[in-house]
Amino acid sequence: MSAAAPTVAEVMLRRPTRHTADITVGAARAALEESPKFHLLLLVHDGVLVGTLDDGDLAAHADEASPARDLASRDGRTVGPAAPADPVRQDMRTTGIRRLAVVDEGMRLLGLLCLTASGSGFCTDDGVDEMRRARRSD
């Protein structure tokens, strides 16, 4: 990170889990249930964020075979890479949002801003990698 206040690009996860834009509601629901750490699914087509899904988006939808993309949203779920990280963190804490997709002007997915459970900072790629290794060894 630079000596100046860090930007979103400096603190985002660079290797977030991505899902294809043609995922079904059933597969999206299963992906969210797979890990308690998944709070936001990133639906991507050719590198572009098509939409995001959380539990609330899927809660009342019963047709498991229907396209999850139809329930996805980007509204209020994205942030630009140049935004100052600390005010975004404070806003995330206030609103209760734990994940934001980081996108450029063309909606190309660059990463994921992931608020720690304590809300005091952001998840790191190394921390996520370690958690995944620990889960695989269980």
Side-chain angles (χ1 to χ4, degrees):
M1 285 191 250
S2 67
T7 64
V8 165
E10 293 173 292
V11 298
M12 71 182 183
L13 296 176
R14 299 187 187 297
R15 300 179 304 275
T17 301
R18 299 165 185 236
H19 298 272
T20 62
D22 62 354
I23 192 171
T24 64
V25 167
R29 194 172 275 132
L32 284 168
E33 291 170 357
E34 178 181 312
S35 170
K37 297 294 182 181
F38 279 166
H39 295 277
L40 189 68
L41 298 186
L42 305 171
L43 306 187
V44 180
H45 179 73
D46 289 338
V48 174
L49 183 70
V50 172
T52 65
L53 289 167
D54 65 17
D55 283 329
D57 298 323
L58 299 170
H61 199 75
D63 184 0
E64 299 286 302
S66 66
R69 165 188 213 153
D70 294 348
L71 305 173
S73 178
R74 294 186 299 206
D75 293 339
R77 296 181 180 179
T78 64
V79 65
D86 194 54
V88 173
R89 182 188 63 80
Q90 291 172 12
D91 188 52
M92 290 172 78
R93 284 187 68 169
T94 300
T95 61
I97 293 173
R98 299 259 324 269
R99 308 289 188 269
L100 290 172
V102 182
V103 295
D104 66 13
E105 302 82 24
M107 295 308 289
R108 185 157 297 279
L109 182 65
L110 304 174
L112 179 70
L113 195 60
C114 169
L115 191 62
T116 60
S118 70
S120 63
F122 296 103
C123 307
T124 64
D125 282 314
D126 289 343
V128 170
D129 290 345
E130 179 59 35
M131 178 193 65
R132 287 176 179 157
R133 278 191 296 276
R135 223 177 20 227
R136 279 192 298 263
S137 68
D138 285 342

